[in-house]
Amino acid sequence: MAVRFGARVVLSGVSLELAAGEVLGLAGPNGAGKTTLFRVATRVLRPERGAVRIAGAPASALARRELARRIAVVPQDVTVPFPFRAGEVVLMGRAPHRKGLAFETAADVERARACLALVGIESLADRPMLALSGGERQLVLVARALAQDPQVLLLDEPTAHLDLRHRAVVLERVREFARAGGAALVVSHDLTLAARSCNRLALLAGGVLAACGAPGEVLNPPLLARVFGVEAEVLRAPDGAPLVIPRRATTLPDDV
């Protein structure tokens, strides 16, 4: 896949496969192309070359409603210009499953309530989105995506604004989604957290795929220095999961 903005190449030769039952982490420095890849996957951007396929079918061939049945997106944050309540926003996740302009059913309302409870925010259902903290809004967006009952979850820094408990809750829900047969792509700057929650980890650098594989293979000091420009120590937790400890900034190859 390739994406170009004018003369600037943003993504080049990037090819990733996301399997059912898998959580794939996507990491890389700022400006590496992670957000662009996200936008291509959701048809916000059209690649110059390549295509996004869902279960073998080109995403470009799917109607918007069908695409929304298959893919749910959790952005970093979203501006809600109207005073929708949290429960109403989660209920919007059921829209792709309704016909035309039909009203929500009792089953839709029950599913929305269940998803609020899954992330521990059922008490926020009647609170306006404008009155919520950044972390609370993030949890509402996760609940909305779960209520969509998609085949694929795309999550952009889903734990960025969350406390420790809710980080654990959200990542466990993502793993549950995958264990039930779904596929999840999680963008994260927290490499240690990604290593614990993802089956595989892909690293983007300068718009190209620098590595993709098991977290224990990908998270090694030489590769971290090349991709992130940081001298890091990689330790092992008692369960074997990698722990990344940055020591100091180094010079990236492009800076030499």
Side-chain angles (χ1 to χ4, degrees), residues 77-104:
D77 200 354
V78 65
T79 300
V80 180
F82 301 103
F84 288 114
R85 293 175 296 175
E88 292 172 326
V89 172
V90 175
L91 189 56
M92 291 175 188
R94 300 301 304 161
H97 301 280
R98 299 197 295 267
K99 293 183 178 180
L101 299 176
F103 290 106
E104 61 272 5

Side-chain angles (χ1 to χ4, degrees), residues 78-185:
V78 65
T79 300
V80 180
F82 301 103
F84 288 114
R85 293 175 296 175
E88 292 172 326
V89 172
V90 175
L91 189 56
M92 291 175 188
R94 300 301 304 161
H97 301 280
R98 299 197 295 267
K99 293 183 178 180
L101 299 176
F103 290 106
E104 61 272 5
T105 65
D108 289 330
V109 174
E110 184 56 36
R111 179 60 179 151
R113 287 175 177 165
C115 290
L116 283 163
L118 279 174
V119 295
I121 56 169
E122 57 268 45
S123 63
L124 301 181
D126 293 324
R127 293 266 302 277
M129 288 288 285
L130 298 175
L132 301 182
S133 70
E136 289 170 333
R137 288 197 303 273
Q138 193 72 15
L139 290 167
V140 171
L141 298 179
V142 172
R144 182 183 66 178
L146 293 174
Q148 213 166 313
D149 287 329
Q151 297 172 358
V152 179
L153 270 179
L154 302 179
L155 306 102
D156 191 0
E157 291 283 352
T159 62
H161 304 294
L162 302 184
D163 57 45
L164 287 175
R165 179 180 182 278
H166 283 105
R167 285 187 181 192
V169 167
V170 166
L171 292 176
E172 180 54 31
R173 296 298 169 260
V174 172
R175 289 191 292 265
E176 286 176 356
F177 173 80
R179 286 196 293 267
L185 175 67

